[in-house]
């Protein structure tokens, strides 16, 4: 190496003093450019689908809407033992997916369409568990071989409605984490306890987590259906679905085998409920079929639509259900024009159930003025006071009454024999359509003389049971009730409601109806209406409920939050402190209605079990 002479050093120093900087010299004061951000971790999403034609459009739509770079996502998909169009639908979607996702692996198997030892498509014999464990292991192996950082398992009937779910779970910085999935019951995708044999064990920890009374990310012994595994963790290399761990001697079940594998590897499972992440259906019984599964998933869609505007994938064709009116001449849906969100949700929900709705523009009580009320001849029932707040009638309640009244007039003018009336803030119970059709068929068969049938209500008389109707399953004679969420109405019933000219003695419509079937506790109110011979019944158990109750997030009332009827300056918002719009009160065991027929438990969360 040549020695640097003194003359050369002086030349460099002189250049520095003069402000001339040679190309190879970097001034300390010059700002260094920041490093570029890291690319997001690579994720493989594992899709295992069997007889999933009913769920794939919405399931894949949720996958597409994940807020995560698709070029950092690989798709691993397998399907087999199908009796429906699952294979063709998944193939159709994957053809498009391979153009936008980093990598797609496709494992279809056309034959056979069933397992030799299964009773039906919902039965899980040992051969099916064995096959599914091998498939899940194959997906795990593919993720490892492709150097994926994470693998996300999502059952093909789970709807990830939160598009940020991947980033949210990664941020927990644990090896194995599940987002808490919601259902119509307490059922979810985690356990808080296991027996020595690895089966589910009831614990007091489960319900507070499921009902968001405790928020966080909780260590649990079991997660399933949807969960994220961090493959960068050294301990993850020991996790396996198949073959089972050498020390495993319990039931041959994929989730139990994997949970045991995690415990043996020292990997803690977690479930997070910090946010709302998505929905899953309640498991069916072994003897049920694909049609039952389809109806169950339709209900999962309807639950998801309450808070999320989910759409099916545009890249999968699924023939729409042909809508009908069930056994009714019309199904009327009452909706305020300014409540576009409710209208959109209800129309999507009803379309998913194959129901045709005729929209009725509700009368907006907030837009009513004194001169309009006078022109209609509206006068309040003398001495009427709200039983909870003591207030007088609100303009919102007048608007609600006028909306229902317009339908009663329409029924009479068009000579409609029977109609179904729905408000736009309802949530449907599972198998709503089939169950209501069965009740109406029983009514026709027995030639029951009826005017009005509550389909959704708040039962106010809770001291004594209501009388069941002989020969008609799931029907009782209605006692004092609140709410007009949904009811069936006959032509004769509409004529009776109009005949008493209620505009001149108006009170809330859900107080008016029990007066008309002579079941209101206030005798003074009833004295203003003759005759009170409306023949009223109620389905039991109810087939729909409000989407929200007083005090819950998202609760809005257009009847209670208004102004009083004769003074636009006096605002009302009393329902937030009083119980009219609160959830159904506890009905004592001695007052429980007894009916024949299909009687699944009611929708109130606390009354359901987690399994």
């Amino acid at each position: 190496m040549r020695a640097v002479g003194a003359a050369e050093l002086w030349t460099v120093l002189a250049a520095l003093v003069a402000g001339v900087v040679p190309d190879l010299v970097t001034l300390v004061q010059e700002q260094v450019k920041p490093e570029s951000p890291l690319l997001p971790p690579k994720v493989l999403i594992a899709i295992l689908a069997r007889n999933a034609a009913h769920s794939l459009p919405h399931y894949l739509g949720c996958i597409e809407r994940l807020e995560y770079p698709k070029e950092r996502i690989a798709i691993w998909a397998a399907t087999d033992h199908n009796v429906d169009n699952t294979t063709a639908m998944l193939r159709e979607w994957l053809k498009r997916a391979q153009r936008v996702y980093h990598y797609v692996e496709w494992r279809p198997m056309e034959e056979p369409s069933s397992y030799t030892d299964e009773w039906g498509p919902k039965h899980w014999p040992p051969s099916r568990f064995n096959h599914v464990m091998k498939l899940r292991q194959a997906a795990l192996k593919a993720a490892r071989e492709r150097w994926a950082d994470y693998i996300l398992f999502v059952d093909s009937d789970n709807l990830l409605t939160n598009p940020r779910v991947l980033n949210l779970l990664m941020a927990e910085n644990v090896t194995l984490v599940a987002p808490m999935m919601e259902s119509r019951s307490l059922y979810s995708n985690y356990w808080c306890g296991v027996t020595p044999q690895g089966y589910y064990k009831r614990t007091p920890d489960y319900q507070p987590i499921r009902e968001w009374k405790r928020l966080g990310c909780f260590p649990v012994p079991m997660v399933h259906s949807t969960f994220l595994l961090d493959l960068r963790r050294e301990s993850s290399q020991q996790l396996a679905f198949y073959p089972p761990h050498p020390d495993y001697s319990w039931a041959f079940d994929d989730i139990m085998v994997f949970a045991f594998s995690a415990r043996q590897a020292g990997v803690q499972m977690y479930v997070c409920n910090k946010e709302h992440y998505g929905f899953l259906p309640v498991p069916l019984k072994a003897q049920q079929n694909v049609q039952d599964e389809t109806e169950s998933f339709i209900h999962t869609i309807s639950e998801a639509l309450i808070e999320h505007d989910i759409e099916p994938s545009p890249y999968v064709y699924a023939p729409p259900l042909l809508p009908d009116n069930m056994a009714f001449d019309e199904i009327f849906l009452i909706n305020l024009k300014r409540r576009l969100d409710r209208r959109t949700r209800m129309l999507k929900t009803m379309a998913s159930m194959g129901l045709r709705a005729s929209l009725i523009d509700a009368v907006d009580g907030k837009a009513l003025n004194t001169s309009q009320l006078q022109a209609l001849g509206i006068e309040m029932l003398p001495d009427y006071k709200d039983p909870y707040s003591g207030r007088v009638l609100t303009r919102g309640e007048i608007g609600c009454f006028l909306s229902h009244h317009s339908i009663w007039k329409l029924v009479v003018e068009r000579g409609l024999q029977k109609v179904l009336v729905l408000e736009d803030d309802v949530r449907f119970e599972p198998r709503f359509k089939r169950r209501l059709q069965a009740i109406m068929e029983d009514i026709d068969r027995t030639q029951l003389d009826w005017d009005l049938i509550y389909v959704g209500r708040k039962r106010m008389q809770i001291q004594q049971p209501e009388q069941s109707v002989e020969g008609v399953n799931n029907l009782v004679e209605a006692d004092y009730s609140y709410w007009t969420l949904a009811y069936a109405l006959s032509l004769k019933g509409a004529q009776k409601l109009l005949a008493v000219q209620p505009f001149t003695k108006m009170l809330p419509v859900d107080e008016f109806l029990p007066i008309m079937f002579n079941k209101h506790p206030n005798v003074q109110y009833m004295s203003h209406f003759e005759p009170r011979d409306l023949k009223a019944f109620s389905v039991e158990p109810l087939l729909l409920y409000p989407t929200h109750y007083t005090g819950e997030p998202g609760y809005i009332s257009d009847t209670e939050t208004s102004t009083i009827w004769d003074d636009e300056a006096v605002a009302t918002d009393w329902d937030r402190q009083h119980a009219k719009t609160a959830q159904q009160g506890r009905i004592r065991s001695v007052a429980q209605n007894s009916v024949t027929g299909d009687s699944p438990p009611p929708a109130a969360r606390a009354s359901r079990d987690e399994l």
Side-chain angles (χ1 to χ4, degrees):
M1 179 180 294
R2 181 177 69 87
V4 178
E8 291 171 297
L9 288 173
W10 280 111
T11 301
V12 173
L13 289 171
L16 288 172
V17 171
V20 178
V21 182
D23 291 342
L24 298 179
V25 177
T26 301
L27 287 177
V28 175
Q29 292 87 352
E30 183 178 322
Q31 187 174 1
V32 178
K33 292 182 179 179
E35 292 292 327
S36 62
L38 292 172
L39 291 170
K42 300 183 293 294
V43 181
L44 184 141
I45 299 178
I47 300 173
L48 279 69
R50 184 194 180 195
N51 294 325
H54 60 279
S55 62
L56 279 176
H58 281 89
Y59 168 82
L60 295 172
C62 289
I63 297 294
E64 291 168 12
R65 287 188 294 275
L66 291 176
E67 292 176 1
Y68 202 85
K70 289 181 170 54
E71 66 273 12
R72 304 294 290 175
I73 296 177
I75 303 291
W76 189 97
T79 186
D80 51 69
H81 296 87
N82 296 305
V83 295
D84 64 5
N85 203 33
T86 295
T87 303
M89 293 175 73
L90 200 49
R91 181 185 291 113
E92 179 184 1
W93 184 78
L94 289 169
K95 284 181 180 177
R96 187 263 177 184
Q98 66 186 1
R99 297 197 295 268
V100 294
Y101 290 97
H102 172 67
Y103 170 76
V104 169
E105 184 170 339
W106 171 225
R107 291 195 173 195
M109 188 170 75
E110 299 287 356
E111 296 292 340
S113 61
S114 64
Y115 295 91
T116 56
D117 54 345
E118 73 176 3
W119 308 335
K122 297 312 298 173
H123 177 224
W124 280 81
S127 61
R128 183 174 181 181
F129 277 119
N130 184 69
H131 183 66
V132 168
M133 286 192 289
K134 288 180 178 179
L135 285 178
R136 291 191 184 277
Q137 184 64 31
L140 186 55
K141 181 182 178 184
R144 287 166 175 161
E145 290 178 348
R146 294 248 165 208
W147 298 104
D149 297 307
Y150 292 89
I151 182 169
L152 177 70
F153 286 96
V154 193
D155 283 0
S156 59
D157 56 3
N158 286 206
L159 298 177
L160 292 174
T161 54
N162 189 328
R164 299 183 297 122
V165 64
L166 274 173
N167 285 316
L168 292 170
L169 295 181
M170 289 176 185
E172 295 301 330
N173 198 29
V174 295
T175 306
L176 207 166
V177 60
M180 189 185 77
M181 305 295 281
E182 303 168 42
S183 72
R184 67 178 172 86
S185 69
L186 288 176
Y187 176 76
S188 188
N189 60 323
Y190 68 97
W191 299 354
C192 281
V194 294
T195 67
Q197 294 76 35
Y199 289 104
Y200 171 80
K201 179 182 179 181
R202 187 186 300 250
T203 71
D205 299 316
Y206 184 95
Q207 194 164 333
I209 296 173
R210 176 63 185 86
E211 295 182 334
W212 298 280
K213 292 175 181 175
R214 292 177 60 203
L215 295 177
C217 204
F218 304 97
V220 292
M222 167 72 77
V223 296
H224 58 85
S225 300
T226 294
F227 57 89
L228 184 72
L229 174 60
D230 187 346
L231 298 175
R232 302 170 304 173
R233 304 279 182 171
E234 186 176 314
S235 58
S236 73
Q237 296 301 308
Q238 302 174 53
L239 298 178
F241 288 95
Y242 191 90
H245 191 279
D247 295 335
Y248 185 82
S249 59
W250 303 335
F252 211 53
D253 182 304
D254 60 318
I255 66 173
M256 292 169 64
V257 166
F258 191 67
F260 184 86
S261 173
R263 286 193 292 276
Q264 295 301 108
V267 173
Q268 177 62 61
M269 293 180 163
Y270 289 87
V271 65
C272 285
N273 70 347
K274 294 178 181 178
E275 300 203 23
H276 294 264
Y277 304 98
F279 294 80
L280 81 173
V282 175
L284 300 184
K285 297 176 181 177
Q287 66 270 26
Q288 292 184 278
N289 56 37
V290 174
Q291 179 58 36
D292 295 322
E293 190 172 28
T294 300
E295 288 187 343
S296 175
F297 188 75
I298 287 172
H299 183 260
T300 302
I301 293 173
S302 74
E303 287 290 288
L305 281 168
I306 291 173
E307 301 290 351
H308 308 275
D309 187 18
I310 60 171
E311 293 280 356
S313 168
Y315 306 106
V316 178
Y317 173 74
L321 288 175
L322 294 177
D324 59 51
N325 294 328
M326 297 191 284
F328 301 99
D329 296 328
E330 292 277 2
I331 301 177
F332 292 115
L333 173 61
I334 301 174
N335 168 257
L336 281 170
K337 280 188 175 180
R338 59 184 167 88
R339 295 291 184 210
L340 178 61
D341 54 338
R342 291 183 177 182
R343 184 187 320 152
T344 301
R345 180 191 73 82
M346 281 294 290
L347 290 177
K348 284 185 177 182
T349 299
M350 294 178 71
S352 73
M353 294 191 294
L355 296 176
R356 182 188 299 114
S358 298
L359 272 174
I360 297 294
D361 288 332
V363 176
D364 194 341
K366 291 184 177 180
L368 291 172
N369 57 44
T370 302
S371 59
Q372 288 173 314
L373 298 181
Q374 291 173 345
L376 289 168
I378 291 175
E379 292 292 337
M380 191 174 76
L381 183 74
D383 301 321
Y384 170 75
K385 299 286 185 185
D386 179 84
Y388 291 101
S389 65
R391 60 159 172 76
V392 295
L393 197 67
T394 71
R395 298 199 179 197
E397 287 172 327
I398 293 175
C400 182
F401 197 114
L402 293 176
S403 302
H404 286 270
H405 188 273
S406 69
I407 293 177
W408 307 340
K409 285 183 61 179
L410 199 59
V411 169
V412 173
E413 290 168 0
R414 293 175 52 188
L416 302 176
Q417 294 304 305
K418 53 185 175 182
V419 300
L420 180 65
V421 181
L422 299 174
E423 294 184 341
D424 64 1
D425 54 350
V426 300
R427 71 194 313 156
F428 296 90
E429 278 288 271
R431 297 180 291 114
F432 168 85
K433 185 176 182 179
R434 190 202 301 189
R435 290 161 65 187
L436 184 54
Q437 282 177 316
I439 291 170
M440 298 308 296
E441 287 169 4
D442 276 356
I443 288 171
D444 289 344
R445 177 179 51 78
T446 58
Q447 298 183 326
L448 178 70
D449 186 15
W450 67 277
D451 296 323
L452 182 141
I453 301 169
Y454 285 104
V455 182
R457 62 169 176 158
K458 181 177 182 178
R459 182 179 160 194
M460 298 304 293
Q461 189 284 105
I462 58 175
Q463 304 304 316
Q464 302 293 328
E466 295 168 308
Q467 181 67 44
S468 61
V469 177
E470 185 176 353
V472 181
N473 291 335
N474 304 111
L475 196 69
V476 296
E477 296 177 9
D479 209 317
Y480 183 38
S481 303
Y482 269 170
W483 301 344
T484 49
L485 300 171
Y487 57 90
L489 183 67
S490 71
L491 174 59
K492 185 159 55 72
Q495 291 168 338
K496 290 180 179 181
L497 295 175
L498 295 174
V500 296
Q501 300 181 347
F503 281 11
T504 59
K505 43 205 170 185
M506 188 173 282
L507 73 170
V509 66
D510 60 350
E511 300 272 18
F512 171 66
L513 292 180
I515 286 175
M516 290 301 293
F517 55 84
N518 206 38
K519 292 291 185 179
H520 200 286
N522 191 312
V523 177
Q524 180 64 27
Y525 293 172
M526 289 202 297
S527 67
H528 293 273
F529 298 89
E530 291 288 349
R532 301 187 300 274
D533 59 351
L534 194 75
K535 294 180 174 62
F537 303 87
S538 176
V539 300
E540 179 71 24
L542 297 174
L543 294 182
L544 45 73
Y545 293 85
T547 55
H548 303 87
Y549 294 100
T550 301
E552 290 185 340
Y555 169 77
I556 298 173
S557 171
D558 291 302
T559 55
E560 305 283 328
T561 307
S562 179
T563 57
I564 63 173
W565 81 283
D566 58 352
D567 192 340
E568 298 173 47
V570 181
T572 67
D573 198 14
W574 285 295
D575 64 320
R576 297 183 188 277
Q577 290 81 40
H578 297 277
K580 185 171 184 178
T581 49
Q583 196 164 343
Q584 173 71 61
R586 183 177 180 273
I587 299 174
R588 297 188 305 162
S589 57
V590 295
Q592 293 287 347
N593 290 331
S594 176
V595 294
T596 57
D598 177 23
S599 299
R605 295 193 196 102
S607 68
R608 307 251 191 188
D609 194 4
E610 57 260 39
L611 290 177

